[in-house]
Amino acid sequence: MKKWMQLWLPVLLWVGMIFYFSSQPYEKQDMRPTFAQYVDEHTVEKYFSWVDFTYVGHEVSIAHLGVPGFLEFFLRKGAHFSVYFVLAILLHRALSHYSMRKGQAVMFALLLTAAYAGFDEVHQSFTKDRTPLWQDSVLDTVGGSFGLAARLLFMRRKRRGSAARI
């Protein structure tokens, strides 16, 4: 039971945190007033006014969103990426302790990460003022893929380092 707790409790806590934040309506998470208060908009405009692209049919630019909205977009998408980056690492860490090949643990961790990303977007559809986007699920899964790649690279370097010391 102790080993199970060490392996799976971090996963459950992380998934719980994701669920909690997905349950909050947008107005509780709106960072635009904070950005407007603390960020020098002129400096952001000076360096990033050239950024202009479309995400899910909406223009992402300072001209369209204003500096606070522009910054919030990148903060939110960065959060998607990084939260699932960590989730995939935690899942792989837990799954690696079972008798399966390394590739199976990686694929299963990625599958579970993608499945939870999809579930999270469905969950958001029941939350006031939240918009479920399959594109966010893709971003989450990409974040998980990068997390797994980072973990495998770290594990490889750790093995090489310990082999060199023997």
mmCIF file with all atom_site columns, all heavy atoms in Angstrom, residues 53-66:
data_model
loop_
_atom_site.group_PDB
_atom_site.id
_atom_site.type_symbol
_atom_site.label_atom_id
_atom_site.label_alt_id
_atom_site.label_comp_id
_atom_site.label_asym_id
_atom_site.label_entity_id
_atom_site.label_seq_id
_atom_site.pdbx_PDB_ins_code
_atom_site.Cartn_x
_atom_site.Cartn_y
_atom_site.Cartn_z
_atom_site.occupancy
_atom_site.B_iso_or_equiv
_atom_site.pdbx_formal_charge
_atom_site.auth_seq_id
_atom_site.auth_comp_id
_atom_site.auth_asym_id
_atom_site.auth_atom_id
_atom_site.pdbx_PDB_model_num
ATOM 1   N N   . PHE A 1 53 ? -1.979  35.871 -35.176 1.00 0.00 ? 53 PHE A N   1
ATOM 2   C CA  . PHE A 1 53 ? -2.346  34.573 -35.747 1.00 0.00 ? 53 PHE A CA  1
ATOM 3   C C   . PHE A 1 53 ? -3.758  34.223 -35.311 1.00 0.00 ? 53 PHE A C   1
ATOM 4   O O   . PHE A 1 53 ? -4.379  34.931 -34.517 1.00 0.00 ? 53 PHE A O   1
ATOM 5   C CB  . PHE A 1 53 ? -1.344  33.477 -35.337 1.00 0.00 ? 53 PHE A CB  1
ATOM 6   C CG  . PHE A 1 53 ? -1.271  33.227 -33.854 1.00 0.00 ? 53 PHE A CG  1
ATOM 7   C CD1 . PHE A 1 53 ? -2.046  32.242 -33.252 1.00 0.00 ? 53 PHE A CD1 1
ATOM 8   C CD2 . PHE A 1 53 ? -0.417  33.984 -33.058 1.00 0.00 ? 53 PHE A CD2 1
ATOM 9   C CE1 . PHE A 1 53 ? -1.976  32.025 -31.895 1.00 0.00 ? 53 PHE A CE1 1
ATOM 10  C CE2 . PHE A 1 53 ? -0.330  33.760 -31.696 1.00 0.00 ? 53 PHE A CE2 1
ATOM 11  C CZ  . PHE A 1 53 ? -1.123  32.780 -31.109 1.00 0.00 ? 53 PHE A CZ  1
ATOM 12  N N   . THR A 1 54 ? -4.265  33.137 -35.849 1.00 0.00 ? 54 THR A N   1
ATOM 13  C CA  . THR A 1 54 ? -5.622  32.689 -35.534 1.00 0.00 ? 54 THR A CA  1
ATOM 14  C C   . THR A 1 54 ? -5.553  31.399 -34.731 1.00 0.00 ? 54 THR A C   1
ATOM 15  O O   . THR A 1 54 ? -4.790  30.491 -35.079 1.00 0.00 ? 54 THR A O   1
ATOM 16  C CB  . THR A 1 54 ? -6.424  32.450 -36.829 1.00 0.00 ? 54 THR A CB  1
ATOM 17  O OG1 . THR A 1 54 ? -6.445  33.664 -37.573 1.00 0.00 ? 54 THR A OG1 1
ATOM 18  C CG2 . THR A 1 54 ? -7.841  32.013 -36.528 1.00 0.00 ? 54 THR A CG2 1
ATOM 19  N N   . TYR A 1 55 ? -6.338  31.331 -33.659 1.00 0.00 ? 55 TYR A N   1
ATOM 20  C CA  . TYR A 1 55 ? -6.457  30.121 -32.848 1.00 0.00 ? 55 TYR A CA  1
ATOM 21  C C   . TYR A 1 55 ? -7.938  29.842 -32.695 1.00 0.00 ? 55 TYR A C   1
ATOM 22  O O   . TYR A 1 55 ? -8.679  30.666 -32.166 1.00 0.00 ? 55 TYR A O   1
ATOM 23  C CB  . TYR A 1 55 ? -5.792  30.311 -31.480 1.00 0.00 ? 55 TYR A CB  1
ATOM 24  C CG  . TYR A 1 55 ? -5.779  29.054 -30.622 1.00 0.00 ? 55 TYR A CG  1
ATOM 25  C CD1 . TYR A 1 55 ? -4.839  28.054 -30.842 1.00 0.00 ? 55 TYR A CD1 1
ATOM 26  C CD2 . TYR A 1 55 ? -6.712  28.854 -29.609 1.00 0.00 ? 55 TYR A CD2 1
ATOM 27  C CE1 . TYR A 1 55 ? -4.816  26.908 -30.077 1.00 0.00 ? 55 TYR A CE1 1
ATOM 28  C CE2 . TYR A 1 55 ? -6.699  27.703 -28.839 1.00 0.00 ? 55 TYR A CE2 1
ATOM 29  C CZ  . TYR A 1 55 ? -5.750  26.739 -29.073 1.00 0.00 ? 55 TYR A CZ  1
ATOM 30  O OH  . TYR A 1 55 ? -5.731  25.588 -28.311 1.00 0.00 ? 55 TYR A OH  1
ATOM 31  N N   . VAL A 1 56 ? -8.373  28.714 -33.184 1.00 0.00 ? 56 VAL A N   1
ATOM 32  C CA  . VAL A 1 56 ? -9.774  28.285 -33.117 1.00 0.00 ? 56 VAL A CA  1
ATOM 33  C C   . VAL A 1 56 ? -10.701 29.356 -33.706 1.00 0.00 ? 56 VAL A C   1
ATOM 34  O O   . VAL A 1 56 ? -11.738 29.680 -33.133 1.00 0.00 ? 56 VAL A O   1
ATOM 35  C CB  . VAL A 1 56 ? -10.193 27.938 -31.673 1.00 0.00 ? 56 VAL A CB  1
ATOM 36  C CG1 . VAL A 1 56 ? -11.525 27.228 -31.647 1.00 0.00 ? 56 VAL A CG1 1
ATOM 37  C CG2 . VAL A 1 56 ? -9.153  27.082 -30.978 1.00 0.00 ? 56 VAL A CG2 1
ATOM 38  N N   . GLY A 1 57 ? -10.279 29.941 -34.818 1.00 0.00 ? 57 GLY A N   1
ATOM 39  C CA  . GLY A 1 57 ? -11.117 30.917 -35.505 1.00 0.00 ? 57 GLY A CA  1
ATOM 40  C C   . GLY A 1 57 ? -11.119 32.314 -34.898 1.00 0.00 ? 57 GLY A C   1
ATOM 41  O O   . GLY A 1 57 ? -11.873 33.172 -35.332 1.00 0.00 ? 57 GLY A O   1
ATOM 42  N N   . HIS A 1 58 ? -10.297 32.547 -33.897 1.00 0.00 ? 58 HIS A N   1
ATOM 43  C CA  . HIS A 1 58 ? -10.225 33.858 -33.256 1.00 0.00 ? 58 HIS A CA  1
ATOM 44  C C   . HIS A 1 58 ? -8.828  34.443 -33.434 1.00 0.00 ? 58 HIS A C   1
ATOM 45  O O   . HIS A 1 58 ? -7.830  33.742 -33.274 1.00 0.00 ? 58 HIS A O   1
ATOM 46  C CB  . HIS A 1 58 ? -10.550 33.754 -31.759 1.00 0.00 ? 58 HIS A CB  1
ATOM 47  C CG  . HIS A 1 58 ? -11.927 33.252 -31.488 1.00 0.00 ? 58 HIS A CG  1
ATOM 48  N ND1 . HIS A 1 58 ? -13.043 34.036 -31.616 1.00 0.00 ? 58 HIS A ND1 1
ATOM 49  C CD2 . HIS A 1 58 ? -12.376 32.028 -31.108 1.00 0.00 ? 58 HIS A CD2 1
ATOM 50  C CE1 . HIS A 1 58 ? -14.123 33.328 -31.315 1.00 0.00 ? 58 HIS A CE1 1
ATOM 51  N NE2 . HIS A 1 58 ? -13.743 32.094 -31.005 1.00 0.00 ? 58 HIS A NE2 1
ATOM 52  N N   . GLU A 1 59 ? -8.811  35.730 -33.722 1.00 0.00 ? 59 GLU A N   1
ATOM 53  C CA  . GLU A 1 59 ? -7.534  36.413 -33.888 1.00 0.00 ? 59 GLU A CA  1
ATOM 54  C C   . GLU A 1 59 ? -6.843  36.577 -32.539 1.00 0.00 ? 59 GLU A C   1
ATOM 55  O O   . GLU A 1 59 ? -7.455  36.976 -31.554 1.00 0.00 ? 59 GLU A O   1
ATOM 56  C CB  . GLU A 1 59 ? -7.748  37.796 -34.502 1.00 0.00 ? 59 GLU A CB  1
ATOM 57  C CG  . GLU A 1 59 ? -6.465  38.561 -34.724 1.00 0.00 ? 59 GLU A CG  1
ATOM 58  C CD  . GLU A 1 59 ? -6.697  39.954 -35.281 1.00 0.00 ? 59 GLU A CD  1
ATOM 59  O OE1 . GLU A 1 59 ? -7.781  40.212 -35.827 1.00 0.00 ? 59 GLU A OE1 1
ATOM 60  O OE2 . GLU A 1 59 ? -5.772  40.777 -35.167 1.00 0.00 ? 59 GLU A OE2 1
ATOM 61  N N   . VAL A 1 60 ? -5.572  36.241 -32.514 1.00 0.00 ? 60 VAL A N   1
ATOM 62  C CA  . VAL A 1 60 ? -4.735  36.448 -31.335 1.00 0.00 ? 60 VAL A CA  1
ATOM 63  C C   . VAL A 1 60 ? -3.704  37.499 -31.715 1.00 0.00 ? 60 VAL A C   1
ATOM 64  O O   . VAL A 1 60 ? -2.787  37.239 -32.479 1.00 0.00 ? 60 VAL A O   1
ATOM 65  C CB  . VAL A 1 60 ? -4.042  35.140 -30.880 1.00 0.00 ? 60 VAL A CB  1
ATOM 66  C CG1 . VAL A 1 60 ? -3.137  35.402 -29.689 1.00 0.00 ? 60 VAL A CG1 1
ATOM 67  C CG2 . VAL A 1 60 ? -5.073  34.068 -30.552 1.00 0.00 ? 60 VAL A CG2 1
ATOM 68  N N   . SER A 1 61 ? -3.911  38.695 -31.195 1.00 0.00 ? 61 SER A N   1
ATOM 69  C CA  . SER A 1 61 ? -3.001  39.809 -31.429 1.00 0.00 ? 61 SER A CA  1
ATOM 70  C C   . SER A 1 61 ? -3.259  40.851 -30.352 1.00 0.00 ? 61 SER A C   1
ATOM 71  O O   . SER A 1 61 ? -4.323  40.866 -29.723 1.00 0.00 ? 61 SER A O   1
ATOM 72  C CB  . SER A 1 61 ? -3.216  40.426 -32.814 1.00 0.00 ? 61 SER A CB  1
ATOM 73  O OG  . SER A 1 61 ? -4.475  41.071 -32.869 1.00 0.00 ? 61 SER A OG  1
ATOM 74  N N   . ILE A 1 62 ? -2.302  41.709 -30.163 1.00 0.00 ? 62 ILE A N   1
ATOM 75  C CA  . ILE A 1 62 ? -2.484  42.802 -29.204 1.00 0.00 ? 62 ILE A CA  1
ATOM 76  C C   . ILE A 1 62 ? -3.576  43.742 -29.704 1.00 0.00 ? 62 ILE A C   1
ATOM 77  O O   . ILE A 1 62 ? -4.400  44.220 -28.912 1.00 0.00 ? 62 ILE A O   1
ATOM 78  C CB  . ILE A 1 62 ? -1.148  43.540 -28.969 1.00 0.00 ? 62 ILE A CB  1
ATOM 79  C CG1 . ILE A 1 62 ? -0.184  42.626 -28.190 1.00 0.00 ? 62 ILE A CG1 1
ATOM 80  C CG2 . ILE A 1 62 ? -1.377  44.845 -28.220 1.00 0.00 ? 62 ILE A CG2 1
ATOM 81  C CD1 . ILE A 1 62 ? 1.215   43.168 -28.017 1.00 0.00 ? 62 ILE A CD1 1
ATOM 82  N N   . ALA A 1 63 ? -3.605  43.982 -31.011 1.00 0.00 ? 63 ALA A N   1
ATOM 83  C CA  . ALA A 1 63 ? -4.617  44.874 -31.579 1.00 0.00 ? 63 ALA A CA  1
ATOM 84  C C   . ALA A 1 63 ? -6.026  44.360 -31.304 1.00 0.00 ? 63 ALA A C   1
ATOM 85  O O   . ALA A 1 63 ? -6.945  45.134 -31.033 1.00 0.00 ? 63 ALA A O   1
ATOM 86  C CB  . ALA A 1 63 ? -4.388  45.044 -33.080 1.00 0.00 ? 63 ALA A CB  1
ATOM 87  N N   . HIS A 1 64 ? -6.208  43.047 -31.352 1.00 0.00 ? 64 HIS A N   1
ATOM 88  C CA  . HIS A 1 64 ? -7.540  42.466 -31.179 1.00 0.00 ? 64 HIS A CA  1
ATOM 89  C C   . HIS A 1 64 ? -7.894  42.218 -29.706 1.00 0.00 ? 64 HIS A C   1
ATOM 90  O O   . HIS A 1 64 ? -9.028  42.458 -29.297 1.00 0.00 ? 64 HIS A O   1
ATOM 91  C CB  . HIS A 1 64 ? -7.637  41.161 -31.971 1.00 0.00 ? 64 HIS A CB  1
ATOM 92  C CG  . HIS A 1 64 ? -8.989  40.542 -31.932 1.00 0.00 ? 64 HIS A CG  1
ATOM 93  N ND1 . HIS A 1 64 ? -10.062 41.061 -32.624 1.00 0.00 ? 64 HIS A ND1 1
ATOM 94  C CD2 . HIS A 1 64 ? -9.457  39.456 -31.268 1.00 0.00 ? 64 HIS A CD2 1
ATOM 95  C CE1 . HIS A 1 64 ? -11.123 40.323 -32.382 1.00 0.00 ? 64 HIS A CE1 1
ATOM 96  N NE2 . HIS A 1 64 ? -10.783 39.340 -31.573 1.00 0.00 ? 64 HIS A NE2 1
ATOM 97  N N   . LEU A 1 65 ? -6.954  41.735 -28.919 1.00 0.00 ? 65 LEU A N   1
ATOM 98  C CA  . LEU A 1 65 ? -7.240  41.342 -27.534 1.00 0.00 ? 65 LEU A CA  1
ATOM 99  C C   . LEU A 1 65 ? -6.825  42.379 -26.495 1.00 0.00 ? 65 LEU A C   1
ATOM 100 O O   . LEU A 1 65 ? -7.222  42.274 -25.346 1.00 0.00 ? 65 LEU A O   1
ATOM 101 C CB  . LEU A 1 65 ? -6.523  40.021 -27.204 1.00 0.00 ? 65 LEU A CB  1
ATOM 102 C CG  . LEU A 1 65 ? -6.906  38.797 -28.025 1.00 0.00 ? 65 LEU A CG  1
ATOM 103 C CD1 . LEU A 1 65 ? -5.976  37.635 -27.702 1.00 0.00 ? 65 LEU A CD1 1
ATOM 104 C CD2 . LEU A 1 65 ? -8.347  38.417 -27.776 1.00 0.00 ? 65 LEU A CD2 1
ATOM 105 N N   . GLY A 1 66 ? -5.993  43.326 -26.907 1.00 0.00 ? 66 GLY A N   1
ATOM 106 C CA  . GLY A 1 66 ? -5.382  44.224 -25.935 1.00 0.00 ? 66 GLY A CA  1
ATOM 107 C C   . GLY A 1 66 ? -4.235  43.489 -25.258 1.00 0.00 ? 66 GLY A C   1
ATOM 108 O O   . GLY A 1 66 ? -4.155  42.254 -25.307 1.00 0.00 ? 66 GLY A O   1
#
